[in-house]
Amino acid sequence: MTAGVDITVENLHIAALTRSDRPQRPILSGINFHVASGESLAIMGPSGAGKTTLVKAMLGDLGHELEVTRGRVAIDGHLPLSMRGGALRAFRRQCAYVDQDPGATLPPRWSVRRILRQRAGLTDDEALVLLSDFGIADIGGILDRTPTQLSGGQRRRLGIAAGIAGQPKLLLIDEPTAGVDATAAKVVLDSLKVAQRRSGATCVVITHDRKVAEELANRAIFIGDDATGQDVGEPRPFTAQAEDRAGADTLLSIENLTLSHGAQEILTDFNLSIRRGEVVGISGPSGRGKTTLLRAILGLHPISQGTISGVDPHSVGWIPQESELSINPAVPVATILRRAAKRAAEHTAARTTKGSVDLSEISSVLHALDLPDFLDLSPRLQVQHLRRCKADQLSGGQRQRINVARALLRNPRLLVADEPTSALDRANALRVVSLLKSSSPQRATIIASHDPDVLAACDRVIGL
């Protein structure tokens, strides 16, 4: 058993850097807590409150856009925010950080075998024992698959498995059950509890889910307002397959569709028609083909058999699950949103003047999603920073809402969304659900999700 580490955070203040003549924007203020060796702590709070920033501070990984203005973080007497070079690399080798975006930290072209061998030198037999703890050892040819050949939920479990493979002293986990169904979530939670007991590692978990916090942590601290209500309600009853709804207003028609990964069939003889104004949910256990189906609709996955018709590639909006990988980190968020609105204007008569778009529409969508107005033209000092803000300066939940905003601003006839609330606290998830439901009666929307609130808002739900 590996001994854990002792964590002390004292009066920590972190701010976003701006130009030298501008005031800094506070991210975290006055954070204090202590975690004893081998203890487990949950960090809870709404999206954008600074939870991930706090965890990255423990790794000495604030990047160039953030600065500690007061206080300190100490890990077993070491000060990671003051460490550099080889000392910092040696410290991080004793830590494992599982990011909240499932594919962000896994090399997309490496096989599962190579990932686990590189992380901990595991033999094939040892790797399969580890993967069996996470319920993915029985996937055909699992060791030879790459992360891109796994579902979002399977990649999540693989990421956690790779994180604990090297017996870390400090285990940092960001939203461990986001984007997985209830059955897979139980496997992940049970496996993490086994990993905690076996390794003795100190564990810090970021979560919006109070039940997850209670399962994995001895206690919790709250960053920002507590928006973790549990009365999520029940989804509408599932239907095994879509009923025949084809007609003049049909915007998407799928007939006798079969999809495969290599020789393994993922989806067989699937049929679905979606009409204008409909919101259709796709649900089912992790690995059943939800993401693969959406990618096939978008033309990103080959069709083994059957047809998909009615999709105009110039009028499709896409909200991917992995927000970190889908937004260009070099481009300001304001520019990304303007481009999305301009693309819509080029296909409609919505241009307010030649070569321009309606900025008030962008502001309206941002307000509905409780995001800063990145395009605000008023001369306030903080606004100057917002207009230059890039995606890597935002939290995972904010990036996910930016993806939603971008897709809606394109004003698509067909909107395709993959777990659009997986990184969000309940308050922000409900904002997204409300906006997706009400944004356009002329649009057809298809959403893959495990979230009961999302499924309850759909006109019908298709179970895979």
Side-chain angles (χ1 to χ4, degrees), residues 207-464:
T207 183
H208 297 116
D209 190 330
R210 194 181 300 273
K211 292 180 180 178
V212 172
E214 291 172 352
E215 287 276 352
L216 293 180
N218 306 116
R219 58 193 176 90
I221 63 169
F222 294 86
I223 306 297
D225 297 328
D226 179 12
T228 55
Q230 298 298 312
D231 51 329
V232 296
E234 293 295 329
R236 298 184 182 186
F238 294 163
T239 55
Q241 286 280 306
E243 58 190 275
D244 184 9
R245 292 173 177 246
D249 281 342
T250 297
L251 296 185
L252 175 66
S253 179
I254 301 175
E255 297 182 0
N256 303 320
L257 182 68
T258 296
L259 301 174
S260 305
H261 283 301
Q264 182 180 9
E265 290 188 350
I266 302 298
L267 202 61
T268 305
D269 201 25
F270 181 82
N271 295 277
L272 174 65
S273 291
I274 305 179
R275 295 185 297 183
R276 190 186 315 276
E278 271 197 299
V279 179
V280 175
I282 304 293
S283 189
S286 180
R288 285 288 180 89
K290 300 184 297 297
T291 297
T292 303
L293 171 62
L294 300 189
R295 288 176 57 82
I297 293 170
L298 296 165
L300 301 175
H301 188 92
I303 296 173
S304 300
Q305 186 176 323
T307 61
I308 299 176
S309 59
V311 180
D312 177 1
H314 298 294
S315 189
V316 176
W318 170 226
I319 305 173
Q321 181 179 164
E322 295 164 337
S323 61
E324 185 170 340
L325 302 179
S326 62
I327 303 177
N328 189 337
V331 180
V333 172
T335 301
I336 290 171
L337 297 175
R338 278 198 189 96
R339 288 174 178 173
K342 184 177 181 180
R343 178 178 175 181
E346 288 172 348
H347 290 88
T348 66
R351 235 181 265 190
T352 57
T353 60
K354 186 174 181 180
S356 66
V357 297
D358 186 354
L359 298 184
S360 65
E361 181 183 358
I362 301 177
S363 296
S364 176
V365 171
L366 293 174
H367 177 74
L369 292 170
D370 195 31
L371 287 166
D373 191 345
F374 298 97
L375 280 74
D376 192 331
L377 299 180
S378 59
R380 289 173 292 140
L381 296 180
Q382 184 171 325
V383 167
Q384 302 293 326
H385 171 73
L386 285 175
R387 288 205 295 271
R388 296 190 299 272
C389 182
K390 298 177 182 178
D392 59 359
Q393 297 171 251
L394 303 176
S395 72
Q398 288 172 320
R399 286 195 300 268
Q400 190 164 50
R401 283 177 284 154
I402 290 295
N403 265 331
V404 174
R406 178 175 60 177
L408 292 176
L409 287 169
R410 288 175 174 169
N411 194 25
R413 295 177 70 241
L414 175 66
L415 181 63
V416 181
D418 190 4
E419 298 286 357
T421 63
S422 63
L424 302 182
D425 58 272
R426 187 169 185 255
N428 280 308
L430 291 175
R431 289 186 180 97
V432 169
V433 170
S434 177
L435 193 58
L436 293 179
K437 181 71 175 175
S438 64
S439 58
S440 175
Q442 300 302 311
R443 176 183 302 129
T445 302
I446 182 168
I447 307 173
S449 182
H450 299 109
D451 188 330
D453 285 322
V454 174
L455 299 176
C458 295
D459 298 310
R460 53 193 172 108
V461 178
I462 310 301
L464 298 185

Side-chain angles (χ1 to χ4, degrees), residues 96 115-117 119-122 130 134 159-168 171:
I115 290 171
L116 296 178
R117 188 165 291 170
R119 297 285 178 95
L122 300 185
L130 175 65
F134 288 83
I160 298 173
I164 68 171
Q167 294 293 302
L171 182 59

